[in-house]
Amino acid sequence: MRYIEPHAHMVSRTTDDYVNMVASGCAAVCEPAFWAGYDRGSADGFRDYFLQITEYEPKRAAKFGLPHFCWLCINPKESEDVGLAKDVLALIPEFLDRPNVLGIGEIGLNKNSRNELEVLEMHIDLAARHDQLILVHTPHLEDKLKGTRLTLDALRNNPAIKPERVIIDHVEEHTVGMVLDAGFWAGRTLYQGSKCSPARAIDIVETYGAERLWMNSACDWGVSIPLSIPYTAMEMRRRGHSAEAVDARIYQNPHSFLSQCGKFRLWRFQNPRE
Ligand SMILES: [Zn+2]
């Protein structure tokens, strides 16, 4: 089995998790910028975090032959302070050319507030000006439907945004249809409690087909399972999905989306001595 983990917060995980992921067939891991478990007090705190996910984490993953990529932004949880958000956005362009940076994310809404929406629009504009891929976080549970609608409107209001270069993550049964119908990619997050179980994720594949869909663990500082993609693959096989179909869902789909960024070239990592 081979798979790509397109959404994991490895700064919160142990090195043992890297070992277990690689042993389970992980071919690449991608780390969106997000809340680090505490609110940072200044833009300098974000600069240190951007250095961590562009320098330290790629080296930690490389010890196990695992390519590590990342996305940059100020997350919605810390976007309520628009002044701080502007300072952090001003830092991002100096990091965009780093070899493991794939784009802007995970941006989006948390409580659907006016300030969050303003910062979301600033991020969309930044991505458009620098021709970056976008990864969007959608709110949890009761805020998800409204937040997804607001996010789709904000993306469509910017004429420079191409839907096929945007993934809307954490979709569920009631939001996946509107995301795919609008031409965006959709991500299903396998996370206990607040998000999707493996069985529900497979139900979504069986209901909506497999185009423009990926799955991820979003493992972070909370109770979460870094191996939830291979566990879901095992459940797909048990339900009768072929090995080829599983490979298409957990490797080829994320590969297709992420390869729109020219830095996502896994062959570069496969034969480092050549
Ligand atoms: Zn996340």
Side-chain angles (χ1 to χ4, degrees), residues 4-8 30 32 71 102 133-136 166-171 176 180 184-190 196 201 204-205 209-218 229 248-260 264:
I4 292 168
E5 171 55 83
H7 188 146
C30 308
W71 302 75
L102 297 174
L133 297 177
I134 294 177
L135 192 159
V136 179
V166 179
I167 181 137
I168 313 287
D169 219 334
H170 316 323
V171 299
V176 60
L180 294 176
F184 298 100
W185 280 70
R188 289 146 305 143
T189 298
L190 307 157
C196 211
I204 290 174
V205 168
E211 294 296 307
R212 284 184 287 120
L213 273 167
W214 80 22
M215 60 178 97
N216 57 69
S217 76
I229 295 176
R249 310 300 166 260
I250 66 176
Y251 182 86
Q252 294 173 43
N253 274 12
H255 193 280
S256 296
F257 178 81
L258 296 165
S259 295
Q260 294 182 87
F264 193 83

Side-chain angles (χ1 to χ4, degrees), residues 7 9 32 34 106 170 218:
H7 188 146
H9 298 290
F34 199 52
E106 57 187 298
H170 316 323

Side-chain angles (χ1 to χ4, degrees), residues 222-248:
V223 178
S224 45
I225 304 171
L227 298 184
S228 56
I229 295 176
Y231 291 166
T232 303
M234 287 164 59
E235 174 67 8
M236 288 182 79
R237 294 288 284 141
R238 194 189 64 77
R239 285 202 196 183
H241 292 256
S242 68
E244 293 74 22
V246 172
D247 186 69

Side-chain angles (χ1 to χ4, degrees), residues 9 19 54 56 72 135 152 186 197 200 210 214 226 236 239 266:
H9 298 290
V19 174
T54 58
Y56 181 71
L72 302 176
L135 192 159
L152 295 183
S197 66
R200 283 173 56 204
W214 80 22
M236 288 182 79
R239 285 202 196 183
L266 299 186

